[in-house]
Amino acid sequence: MSARVQEAVVHARRRAETYKPPVDKDALAWRVIEVFDDRVRGYVERDRRIEDERDRVLIAAVKLAEADADEEAVVEAARKHLVDAIDYLEQAVLRFGVPSGRRTR
C-alpha cells in the first residue's frame, strides 16, 4: 500500500508545484486528488481521519485556484498550504489506513 500512497503523493505534489493560474478551482482540486482516489482510496477501509485529510486537500486546492494571480506571495502561501495538506493526507493514510483486501470503491 505504501507504494500506492507514494505514487498518489508524488502526483498531487507535482500538480501543486506546477500550478499556473488561471485554472478552474474544481478542475484543480480533482486533478490534485485523482490518483489518490483511483489508487489508494478504494483499497483502504473508510476512516474518518483519512476522509477529513482528503477534504482538506480539496479545500486547499480550491483556495490555491482562487488565489489572486497578481499576488505572488498569496499564491505561494496557498501552494504551501496545499502541499502541507497533501503531506497530512499521506501521514493519515500511512498511520490509519487499513488495507481492505478488496477494492471498496
Side-chain angles (χ1 to χ4, degrees):
M1 180 173 70
S2 64
R4 288 177 180 273
V5 173
Q6 185 61 33
E7 185 178 350
V9 167
V10 166
H11 171 83
R13 283 189 190 130
R14 187 176 317 117
R15 291 290 186 178
E17 292 165 359
T18 61
Y19 165 77
K20 298 216 184 325
V23 172
D24 177 73
K25 63 185 177 184
D26 293 330
L28 179 62
W30 295 117
R31 282 185 208 146
V32 166
I33 206 77
E34 67 188 347
V35 173
F36 173 80
D37 281 356
D38 185 51
R39 300 193 184 144
V40 177
R41 192 173 185 213
Y43 293 91
V44 295
E45 296 294 331
R46 292 295 173 136
D47 185 294
R48 176 193 49 78
R49 296 165 293 194
I50 294 170
E51 293 299 311
D52 287 349
E53 294 305 328
R54 179 184 174 273
D55 290 346
R56 186 192 314 220
V57 169
L58 291 170
I59 292 166
V62 168
K63 288 182 179 182
L64 175 57
E66 291 177 338
D68 185 353
D70 295 331
E71 297 289 332
E72 189 174 321
V74 172
V75 171
E76 287 309 311
R79 185 186 321 271
K80 182 183 179 328
H81 180 73
L82 175 54
V83 170
D84 288 346
I86 293 164
D87 291 344
Y88 290 130
L89 176 58
E90 176 185 27
Q91 292 169 19
V93 173
L94 293 175
R95 179 177 291 154
F96 306 119
V98 176
S100 67
R102 61 180 167 70
R103 183 164 170 95
T104 58
R105 216 177 90 88

